[in-house]
Amino acid sequence: MTRPVLILVVLMLAGCDSPGPGFGALPGTRVTVKGSTFAVRRNGGTAQAIRLNAERRDGGMARGARAIELGTGCQIRPGTLSGDPAVVYARLSCASP
């Protein structure tokens, strides 16, 4: 019984930071916002934040949005935030260098 549980735990942990389509080859930047830790990836004008820690509390989307802004250095375009508290996507508006 212990072995199946161990295998299940390993499989669950392996999927914690699995980027979505278009973000797979990109390195993640770890960002912590109010106790929530995210892996933030940017692909051109789009970003993704995957929450890495387990939690059950309100405000996950807002913390994910803030993590995207901190991790990319860009602002989120109004009306483009989507996803859920575990995986947040947004289109970005970045200042020219």
Side-chain angles (χ1 to χ4, degrees):
M1 174 120 169
T2 304
R3 187 176 187 136
V5 172
L6 179 62
I7 291 171
L8 180 61
V9 169
V10 169
L11 290 175
M12 287 173 48
L13 291 174
C16 288
D17 187 14
S18 299
F23 296 92
L26 303 172
T29 300
R30 287 189 181 238
V31 178
T32 300
V33 176
K34 296 183 180 179
S36 297
T37 302
F38 297 87
V40 176
R41 291 177 174 84
R42 178 179 173 191
N43 187 358
T46 305
Q48 172 192 68
I50 299 174
R51 194 183 71 239
L52 302 176
N53 58 316
E55 61 185 27
R56 292 190 183 270
R57 59 184 176 133
D58 293 336
M61 288 285 289
R63 289 188 299 277
R66 185 65 181 140
I68 287 174
E69 291 180 336
L70 292 171
T72 64
C74 301
Q75 296 294 311
I76 294 175
R77 288 184 178 176
T80 66
L81 193 66
S82 65
D84 58 48
V87 181
V88 180
Y89 294 91
R91 303 231 5 144
L92 302 173
S93 178
C94 300
S96 299

